[in-house]
Amino acid sequence: MLEFTWFVHCPRCGRASIEVHQKNAMRCTVCGYVYFHNTCAATAGIIETGDGVLLTVRAHKPKAGTYDLPGGFVDYNESIEDALRREIREELGIDVAITAYLGSFPNRYVYRDVVYFTADSFFVCRPIDEVVPLTGSEELRRWEIFPVDKLPFDKIGFESNVKALGLYRRFSASR
Ligand SMILES: [Zn+2]
């Protein structure tokens, strides 16, 4: 676990006395403090428009320049569904209705040299109003809409998104 976090010192007593505890936690051998580097809940939406699925282009690290699905991490005291609607509103300026739960896949998200293990939940959504995004969101450089049979699988940054869009393609064909 310590190779994912680079933690050296105990956050409670400050001594360089931590060891791996179970597989996803650290324990201080001096004061006994235990901290779990737990899996984070994250979510992403596959937004269906009349012309296909909306993919965003990542503007920032990690994976800048690759295609992504709109979404993000779940906040404290927030449901996964509320997190998804909030993230899409923040990123794209649109409100969506969730039409189906697709499934979940594990992912790794590296931020400032710390590896976060995530469980990503994927939902199918539709815009409540006509899609007229979007200008100048800090989080995004741009977005594009792809027909289901032309999804750019080789340019998608995160493995969990590749798997989710593969599942979506089968889900879409079965309707
Ligand atoms: Zn300690």
Side-chain angles (χ1 to χ4, degrees), residues 50-162:
D51 301 316
V53 170
L54 188 152
L55 300 183
T56 59
V57 180
R58 293 189 62 79
H60 300 291
K61 288 181 181 177
K63 311 270 186 189
T66 62
Y67 288 110
D68 199 5
L69 290 168
F73 289 103
V74 179
D75 270 349
Y76 292 169
N77 297 314
E78 187 176 48
S79 71
I80 296 176
E81 294 89 337
D82 283 345
L84 179 63
R85 287 185 284 258
R86 173 183 54 74
E87 287 282 351
I88 289 174
R89 199 177 306 119
E90 287 172 9
E91 287 186 27
L92 300 170
I94 61 172
D95 289 313
V96 295
I98 294 171
T99 55
Y101 171 64
L102 192 61
S104 71
F105 295 98
N107 193 23
R108 285 181 179 212
Y109 188 91
V110 183
Y111 182 71
R112 303 202 174 194
D113 295 332
V114 174
V115 178
Y116 295 89
F117 292 85
T118 70
D120 297 349
S121 300
F122 294 88
F123 295 86
V124 182
C125 315
R126 64 173 173 75
I128 289 174
D129 301 311
E130 195 185 345
V131 182
V132 197
L134 50 110
T135 49
S137 167
E138 210 178 281
E139 217 162 325
L140 292 178
R141 199 174 71 222
R142 61 199 172 99
W143 55 274
E144 290 176 36
I145 288 173
F146 291 92
V148 179
D149 59 351
K150 295 202 170 100
L151 289 167
F153 282 98
D154 56 332
K155 294 180 185 132
I156 293 168
F158 290 113
E159 192 57 34
S160 59
N161 287 350
V162 172

Side-chain angles (χ1 to χ4, degrees), residues 151 153 161-171:
L151 289 167
F153 282 98
N161 287 350
V162 172
K163 288 177 179 163
L165 284 164
L167 184 59
Y168 170 74
R169 197 165 51 175
R170 295 197 294 280
F171 167 84

Side-chain angles (χ1 to χ4, degrees), residues 9-18 27-34:
H9 296 91
C10 170
R12 179 187 274 170
C13 75
R15 292 187 179 89
S17 55
I18 55 174
R27 181 181 167 278
C28 176
T29 57
V30 174
C31 75
Y33 178 72
V34 175

